[in-house]
RNA sequence: GCCGGGGUGGCGAAACUGGCAAACGCAAGGGACUUAAAAUCCCUUGGGCCUCGGCCCUUGGGGGUUCGAUUCCCCCCCCCGGCACCA
């Protein structure tokens, strides 16, 4: 049996519990929010506290963000790293319905478990500023945010479609609709129109778009910016009026240049003019079609069958360009919520219109032609994508290049007041109403005399009553409306009997402003403390998943913009820097309960310790891309920590300092400092760890226990393995936390050896190497290489055509 | 269909700005220590030849630019994620 001195081997559990306790005691992770002079707000996306506990994906995300925060801390910043829980939403409701546990009981239990796990993984969280969105002390201010938007005129009510299950008689969220059917009873879902609350995010579309390119405001992952740009979906086009018996029909098109090819029109089935356009003989057919369209749920209408169908209304409109009378159809491939809900159909140059025209034998006219073609040739596929297109069959605009034709036609339409150039966005206003229970009630009271009245700020929060029958039932009424004692209230304006809004708000509203609240959780008389907002915001670094690239991140930006315009915030963009992390798979496959390959962090932490687990997660692949979790992989980082531990123990025993350090070690040491620093800065954690491993290997190879180097190694390890580093730091004689240490600096001149091996290539193939002093001149290197027999073998008797020398890197002889 | 991200040894992966492909780690094989095993330490490890000095091939496939391509350009195939009748 091997002799074990208890103090001489690494026991993760003991080390980790010791330092977690000490951090809590000393307030190590709680910066002074009111006096910090180098504040750094390090934010990560707060989790939904599920009953299953922290997922390894959460741990991966949080660890990567925590590593970054700890690194910044070591660089001398005061880092605020808060954590909270996004606890409202349909998740809890569904879980509650399945298990019979009320969300109000479930959530605190889940949170307690999450908090335990988050502490166990060693995050640098400031627990004084924890928040939970379901806490009335939080959602009071979520309601306040709603009122700010309401008073700013950015909140309004309108009818909008929801998924409706005719069997359960309830509203369904999109995720509860599976293949067009209700997930619970399988009945086909239909759409219904309800009055709902919206935020006018579309008013901000242009600013939201423009700021994406503004480096002074936003430094974001390119993929995230692109996703936002696509989501906002700007298109430049024109609105054109087509006169009809029922009044002008306004269409939106991005290709006004093709107007001469518009041979019919198509309106969305819900279009308000349909009624008046419909000829008596077609009434039955039109009504039947409209009914059928309404019966389709929101999802399947969009993605359902690709086959285009529709019916003729019996009405006509006049093409303002050709003067021709063209038939007006309705079809559900035209959507009411985009453009004007009506299109001019140009079957000659639009795939969908073409399919429709072919099916119903409507005329097809070609109005664009490529070089060498005439308008008489048949339709060519993708005609719009070819270069050098010119107009044909387009009256006096014929023969104009397409681009110029477009401008001329828009000018002409504008002059005749028949249309004008406009910009449209794909982005819709944000519907925040949810006909559900588990969310913050929207703070509005309806009064017969006064109409909708906002709840006065002094009456906030409008508490969500803890009721048992929150389940959707056959009544078809929002669950909250069934509770008279809550539902019926006096009107705040006139005092007469009135009733509350029964919709709750979207969970995305909770999460759209949480970063503001963290700083000020101890104040219950204001949403956020102004001085702290000034000091700490905008967020210095935000790390999260790209699944929130559009909704959460866009809503947060929008809200900050509104509050900025209201004079409440000094910034428009809340997240100066955003980076998306990758996703983790297990053994090459997506994790899922049914496959039984879900990684449960607790089990791994119990077996290996939090530090090893953190190291492994950061090492298994590039942080921004994610990677493949394999059980065998944990041994590597653990062995590495064991060896560092041994080195520290040896260092402890040797009192001698200032021993001579070999030149190659000094180089390695400086290279490592550089590589680790740059790796951390760019979130290339896997290569930063590899660099630390190389340094350790180099030290061990020559049995070097130089204290300066070992101390630097420990400091650089601290972001990844914080408890471990603290313990080592203490053993190396420190009395303060390793996070009080200074991040190691390197000497650039010492990152390169003074003598360099330069590969010598002949015609691009490496045939030999020569060792030369760093920075040697080309002549010297060439001379050295020409003496090399291995090189001469390939060059002797050949004509030397060219010599390429890249300083300190490579020499290439081109011979023929 | 559109938009992102990928495809490199047995595996996870690395490679600055076009300059020695495979760093670091896992797994595997051999050896040392041990009565034995675990742990630890040392060596080998992309493939194929080989006269042991080397030689040839290799980054999804095909072309191109270049003295030189994992990296740049064109075409194609496959995987992952998102959006999806957006006029």
């Amino acid at each position: 049996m091997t002799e074990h001195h208890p103090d001489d081997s690494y026991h993760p559990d003991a080390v980790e519990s010791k330092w977690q306790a000490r951090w809590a005691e000393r307030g190590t992770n709680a910066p002074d929010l009111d006096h910090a002079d180098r504040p750094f707000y390090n934010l990560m996306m707060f989790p939904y506290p599920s009953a299953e506990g922290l997922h390894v994906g959460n741990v991966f995300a949080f660890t990567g963000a925590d590593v970054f925060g700890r690194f910044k801390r070591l660089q001398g910043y005061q880092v605020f790293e808060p954590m909270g829980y996004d606890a409202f939403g349909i998740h809890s409701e569904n879980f509650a319905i399945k298990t019979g546990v009320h969300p109000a009981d479930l959530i605190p239990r889940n949170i307690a478990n999450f908090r335990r796990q988050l502490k166990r993984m060693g995050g640098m969280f400031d627990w004084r500023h924890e928040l939970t969105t379901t806490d009335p002390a939080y959602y009071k201010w979520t309601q306040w945010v709603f009122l700010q938007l309401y008073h700013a005129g950015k909140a309004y009510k309108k009818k909008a479609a929801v998924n409706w299950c005719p069997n359960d008689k309830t509203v369904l969220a999109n995720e509860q609709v599976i293949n067009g059917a209700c997930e619970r009873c399988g009945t086909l879902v239909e759409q219904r129109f309800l009055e709902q609350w919206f935020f006018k995010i579309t008013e901000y579309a242009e600013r939201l778009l423009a700021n994406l390119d503004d480096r002074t405001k936003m430094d974001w992952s390119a993929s995230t910016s692109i996703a936002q740009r696509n989501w906002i979906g700007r298109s430049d086009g024109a609105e054109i009026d087509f006169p009809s018996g029922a009044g002008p029909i306004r269409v939106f098109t991005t290709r006004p240049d093709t107007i001469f090819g518009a041979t019919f029109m198509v309106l969305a089935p819900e279009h308000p003019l349909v009624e008046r356009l419909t000829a008596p003989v077609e009434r039955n057919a039109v009504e039947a079609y409209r009914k059928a369209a309404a019966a389709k749920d929101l999802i399947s209408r969009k993605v359902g069958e690709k086959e285009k169908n529709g019916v003729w209304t019996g009405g006509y409109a006049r093409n303002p360009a050709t003067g021709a009378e063209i038939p007006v159809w309705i079809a559900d491939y035209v959507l009411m919520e985009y453009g004007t809900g009506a299109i001019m159909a140009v079957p000659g140059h639009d795939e969908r219109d073409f399919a429709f025209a072919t099916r119903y034998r409507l005329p097809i006219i070609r109005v664009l032609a490529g070089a060498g073609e005439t308008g008489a040739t048949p339709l060519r596929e993708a005609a719009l994508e070819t270069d050098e297109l010119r107009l044909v069959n387009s009256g006096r605009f014929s023969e104009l290049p397409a681009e110029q034709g477009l401008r001329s036609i828009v000018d002409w339409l504008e002059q005749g007041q028949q249309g004008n150039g406009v910009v449209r966005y794909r982005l819709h206003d944000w519907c925040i109403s949810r006909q559900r229970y588990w969310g913050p009630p929207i703070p509005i009271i309806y009064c017969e005399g006064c109409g909708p009245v906002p709840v006065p700020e002094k009456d906030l929060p409008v508490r969500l009553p803890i009721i048992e029958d929150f389940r959707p039932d056959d009544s078809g009424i929002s669950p909250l409306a069934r509770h008279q004692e809550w539902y019926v209230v006096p009107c705040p304006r006139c005092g007469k009997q009135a009733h509350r809004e029964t919709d709750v708000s979207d969970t995305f509203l909770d999460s759209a402003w949480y970063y503001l609240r963290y700083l000020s959780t101890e104040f219950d008389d204001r949403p956020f403390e102004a001085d702290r907002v000034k000091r700490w915001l905008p967020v210095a670094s935000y790390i999260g998943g790209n699944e929130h690239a559009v909704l959460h991140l866009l809503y947060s930006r929008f809200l900050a913009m509104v509050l900025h315009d209201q004079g409440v915030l000094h910034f428009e963009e809340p997240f100066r820097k955003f980076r998306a992390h990758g996703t983790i798979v297990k053994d090459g496959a997506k994790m899922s309960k049914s496959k039984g390959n879900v990684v449960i962090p607790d089990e791994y932490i119990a077996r290996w310790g939090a530090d090893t687990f953190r190291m492994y997660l950061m090492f298994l692949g590039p942080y921004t891309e994610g990677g493949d979790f394999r059980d065998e992989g944990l041994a590597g980082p653990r062995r590495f920590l064991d060896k560092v531990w041994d080195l520290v123990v040896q260092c402890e025993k040797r009192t001698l300092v200032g021993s001579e350090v070999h030149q190659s070690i000094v180089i390695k040491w400086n290279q490592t400092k550089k590589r680790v620093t740059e790796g951390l800065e760019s979130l290339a954690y896997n290569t930063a760890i590899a660099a630390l491993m190389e340094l350790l290997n180099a030290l061990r190879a020559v049995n070097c226990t130089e204290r300066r180097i070992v101390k630097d190694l420990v400091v650089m390890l601290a972001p990844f393995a914080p408890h471990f580093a603290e313990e080592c730091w203490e053993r190396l004689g420190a009395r303060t936390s390793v996070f009080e240490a200074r991040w190691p600096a390197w000497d650039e001149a010492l990152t390169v050896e003074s003598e360099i091996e330069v590969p010598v290539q002949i015609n691009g193939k490496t045939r030999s190497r020569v060792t030369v002093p760093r920075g040697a001149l080309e002549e010297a290197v060439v001379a050295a290489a020409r003496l090399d027999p291995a090189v001469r073998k390939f060059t002797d008797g050949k004509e030397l055509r060219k010599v390429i020398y890249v300083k300190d890197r490579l020499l290439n002889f081109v011979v023929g």
Side-chain angles (χ1 to χ4, degrees):
Chain A
M1 197 184 279
T2 327
E3 285 288 312
H4 268 298
H5 301 285
D7 281 345
D8 284 0
S9 59
Y10 170 43
H11 299 288
D13 287 350
V15 169
E16 288 168 12
S17 52
K18 168 179 166 183
W19 286 97
Q20 281 165 17
R22 210 172 272 188
W23 291 334
E25 241 167 68
R26 293 177 175 172
T28 311
N29 302 330
D32 182 343
L33 296 183
D34 296 310
H35 302 98
D37 57 338
R38 291 186 74 196
F40 190 96
Y41 193 156
N42 191 47
L43 185 67
M44 55 198 92
M45 288 180 178
F46 66 164
Y48 165 73
S50 70
E52 289 82 25
L54 266 187
H55 185 265
V56 67
N58 297 130
V59 180
F60 176 72
F62 298 154
T63 302
D66 185 62
V67 167
F68 195 71
R70 289 182 179 278
F71 168 56
K72 287 290 150 189
R73 165 98 184 241
L74 282 159
Q75 284 187 322
Y77 292 94
Q78 286 108 41
V79 177
F80 177 50
E81 188 173 298
M83 181 46 72
Y85 312 96
D86 188 18
F88 269 133
I90 194 163
H91 265 99
S92 315
E93 256 180 72
N94 287 349
F95 188 88
I97 288 165
K98 211 163 75 189
T99 62
V101 184
H102 195 283
D105 298 326
L106 179 74
I107 291 298
R109 269 193 259 163
N110 292 353
I111 286 176
N113 186 39
F114 264 63
R115 191 183 295 119
R116 178 189 61 77
Q117 291 181 295
L118 288 161
K119 286 185 176 171
R120 187 67 190 86
M121 63 167 264
M124 196 176 63
F125 302 117
D126 182 349
W127 293 106
R128 298 170 313 170
H129 288 272
E130 189 192 51
L131 65 77
T132 304
T133 56
T134 53
D135 183 347
Y138 181 84
Y139 71 69
K140 169 180 180 176
W141 302 111
T142 304
Q143 292 169 339
W144 177 89
V145 168
F146 174 91
L147 293 177
Q148 298 307 298
L149 273 96
Y150 180 87
H151 294 308
K154 307 300 177 200
Y156 67 96
K157 238 189 156 182
K158 75 166 185 199
K159 278 203 164 175
V162 292
N163 295 303
W164 178 263
C165 172
N167 180 52
D168 292 345
K169 296 193 174 61
T170 185
V171 170
L172 299 176
N174 279 345
E175 54 268 47
Q176 291 177 301
V177 181
I178 312 293
N179 295 327
C182 171
E183 72 167 358
R184 284 189 291 150
C185 66
T187 311
L188 285 178
V189 168
E190 51 189 56
Q191 32 177 335
R192 277 223 176 163
F193 288 82
L194 296 181
E195 287 266 317
Q196 309 196 61
W197 285 98
F198 286 83
F199 285 160
K200 287 186 187 168
I201 189 170
T202 52
E203 264 187 17
Y204 290 77
E206 199 49 52
R207 273 163 80 190
L208 289 166
L209 206 52
N211 283 358
L212 289 172
D213 295 320
D214 188 340
R215 293 269 114 192
T216 64
K217 290 179 181 148
M218 300 176 75
D219 164 18
W220 281 31
S221 290
S223 61
T224 314
S225 299
I226 290 166
Q228 293 220 339
R229 191 166 291 119
N230 293 343
W231 188 263
I232 295 168
R234 178 185 162 127
S235 25
D236 292 74
E239 283 185 353
I240 306 171
D241 286 333
F242 282 59
S244 81
I249 303 172
R250 177 160 291 189
V251 302
F252 173 70
T253 176
T254 54
R255 298 303 302 252
D257 50 328
T258 63
I259 189 168
F260 284 83
T263 52
F264 61 100
M265 298 186 77
V266 187
L267 309 192
E270 312 90 322
H271 195 284
L273 285 178
V274 172
E275 200 98 333
R276 273 192 282 158
L277 275 162
T278 303
V281 280
E282 303 293 344
R283 188 146 308 256
N284 287 344
V286 167
E287 279 315 310
Y289 189 82
R290 296 181 94 182
K291 245 194 173 143
K296 291 186 194 172
D297 72 288
L298 294 170
I299 300 157
S300 62
R301 165 142 174 213
K302 286 187 180 171
V303 296
E305 73 255 39
K306 289 279 167 194
E307 201 177 299
K308 305 281 169 286
N309 62 61
V311 294
W312 181 39
T313 59
Y316 288 91
R318 191 166 48 79
N319 181 327
T322 62
E325 293 293 318
I326 56 174
V328 181
W329 288 63
I330 60 171
D332 66 4
Y333 79 90
V334 175
L335 308 170
M336 197 60 222
E337 65 276 15
Y338 186 75
T340 59
I343 61 162
M344 62 174 205
V346 184
H349 301 283
D350 181 279
E351 226 180 288
R352 296 155 303 166
D353 297 344
F354 180 78
F356 197 81
T358 310
R359 176 162 184 176
Y360 296 108
R361 299 179 190 284
L362 293 160
I364 300 170
I365 301 175
R366 178 104 181 255
V367 289
L368 290 167
E373 292 177 313
T374 68
T377 52
L379 179 90
R380 203 185 50 200
E381 261 189 70
L384 290 178
E385 284 164 30
T386 326
D387 287 337
E388 291 174 51
L389 284 173
R390 63 181 206 286
L391 299 185
V392 292
N393 298 325
S394 296
R396 60 196 181 90
F397 300 101
S398 292
E399 298 307 317
L400 286 178
E403 232 174 274
Q404 193 188 329
L406 190 148
R407 283 195 302 272
S408 305
I409 287 175
V410 173
D411 285 348
W412 172 73
L413 286 167
E414 284 179 349
Q415 274 159 30
Q417 303 203 336
Q418 298 172 98
N420 47 284
V422 292
V423 177
R424 281 275 177 177
Y425 301 91
R426 197 185 188 118
L427 181 70
H428 293 358
D429 275 344
W430 174 13
C431 176
I432 61 137
S433 286
R434 296 291 180 273
Q435 294 75 36
R436 310 220 129 244
Y437 168 66
W438 193 236
I442 293 173
I444 292 287
I445 290 167
Y446 297 99
C447 167
E448 255 178 49
C450 310
V453 179
V455 173
E457 209 178 305
K458 67 173 172 52
D459 295 341
L460 296 182
V462 176
R463 281 179 183 268
L464 179 70
I466 303 304
I467 57 176
E468 287 308 320
D469 56 339
F470 56 82
R471 281 146 244 229
D473 68 5
D474 293 353
S475 69
I477 307 171
S478 275
L480 289 174
R482 297 194 293 263
H483 289 265
Q484 292 296 307
E485 74 290 351
W486 181 87
Y487 181 63
V488 179
V489 283
C491 169
R493 202 162 288 166
C494 69
K496 287 194 192 131
Q497 196 185 68
H499 68 90
R500 291 193 187 278
E501 167 67 62
T502 56
D503 286 352
V504 298
S505 60
D506 184 4
T507 358
F508 280 113
L509 182 58
D510 303 324
S511 56
W513 76 283
Y514 76 118
Y515 67 94
L516 284 166
R517 184 63 186 164
Y518 273 138
L519 287 165
S520 309
T521 45
E522 69 267 51
F523 298 102
D524 54 11
D525 61 339
R526 67 201 98 162
F528 31 81
E529 165 57 39
D531 288 345
R532 290 193 186 164
V533 167
K534 277 235 169 62
R535 188 178 294 272
W536 290 89
L537 288 166
V539 167
S541 167
Y542 193 17
I543 288 178
N546 238 352
E547 68 273 17
H548 292 118
V550 282
L551 299 182
H552 162 62
L553 288 170
L554 199 62
Y555 293 152
S556 303
R557 295 181 57 211
F558 158 68
L559 227 75
M561 231 171 241
V562 175
L563 293 175
H564 167 265
D565 293 352
Q566 292 296 296
V568 178
L569 299 178
H570 64 284
F571 55 88
E572 270 193 358
E573 290 297 338
F575 313 125
R576 172 144 289 153
K577 175 172 165 182
F578 173 78
R579 289 291 180 274
H581 63 245
T583 50
I584 300 241
V585 296
K586 177 81 203 293
D587 301 321
K590 206 174 165 177
M591 276 177 251
S592 74
K593 269 188 242 171
S594 55
K595 272 189 236 147
N597 63 347
V598 176
V599 174
I600 298 166
D602 284 359
E603 294 170 3
Y604 288 85
I605 290 177
R607 168 142 182 234
W608 297 95
D611 286 325
T612 297
F613 192 55
R614 288 169 62 106
M615 293 269 309
Y616 176 60
L617 287 174
M618 296 301 100
F619 184 62
L620 57 66
Y623 184 63
T624 51
E625 275 160 47
D628 192 1
F629 190 102
R630 286 171 191 265
D631 291 355
E632 313 89 79
L634 282 127
R638 175 55 194 268
R639 283 201 270 262
F640 168 66
L641 292 183
D642 282 335
K643 290 177 201 168
V644 174
W645 184 273
D646 287 346
L647 186 66
V648 169
V649 168
Q650 277 187 54
C651 219
E652 243 182 311
K653 287 178 183 163
R654 293 191 196 178
T655 46
L656 237 101
V657 281
S659 55
E660 202 174 315
V661 179
H662 194 275
Q663 163 83 3
S664 70
I665 290 291
V666 172
I667 301 292
K668 193 83 204 173
W669 175 29
N670 277 280
Q671 280 175 348
T672 306
K673 289 192 275 193
K674 182 179 181 175
R675 284 172 68 192
V676 173
T677 307
E678 290 174 354
L680 280 161
E681 201 64 72
S682 61
L683 312 188
Y685 298 145
N686 54 335
T687 54
I689 293 172
L692 292 171
M693 289 172 166
E694 282 183 51
L695 176 61
L696 176 79
N697 292 344
L699 294 174
R700 282 165 58 89
V702 296
N703 208 359
C704 172
T705 56
E706 175 64 29
R707 229 181 164 79
R708 293 173 295 156
I709 303 178
V710 176
K711 284 177 88 167
D712 279 355
L713 176 61
V714 167
V715 173
M716 288 189 284
L717 205 44
F720 300 105
H723 322 82
F724 176 89
E726 289 276 28
E727 185 66 21
C728 292
W729 195 242
E730 192 176 68
R731 281 171 176 260
L732 289 169
R735 298 228 192 97
T736 53
S737 165
V738 67
F739 293 100
E740 305 295 325
R742 288 252 298 277
W743 187 257
W746 72 89
D747 181 345
E748 187 68 38
L750 292 177
T751 58
V752 194
E753 301 269 3
S754 54
E755 294 214 309
I756 292 177
E757 249 197 0
V758 175
V760 182
Q761 300 188 334
I762 285 93
N763 292 341
K765 282 186 194 273
T766 305
R767 298 297 182 180
S768 184
R769 289 146 225 279
V770 289
T771 303
V772 295
R774 174 154 53 95
L777 295 175
E778 175 170 343
E779 294 75 37
V781 182
V782 170
R786 301 211 72 162
L787 293 175
D788 186 334
V791 173
R792 293 184 62 171
K793 197 169 113 190
F794 291 93
T795 54
D796 281 1
K798 301 253 173 78
E799 186 201 343
L800 184 59
R801 292 202 178 141
K802 208 171 170 186
V803 176
I804 290 138
Y805 179 63
V806 184
K807 200 175 174 187
D808 293 344
R809 292 223 85 118
L810 162 140
L811 178 67
N812 188 13
F813 290 120
V814 183
V815 299

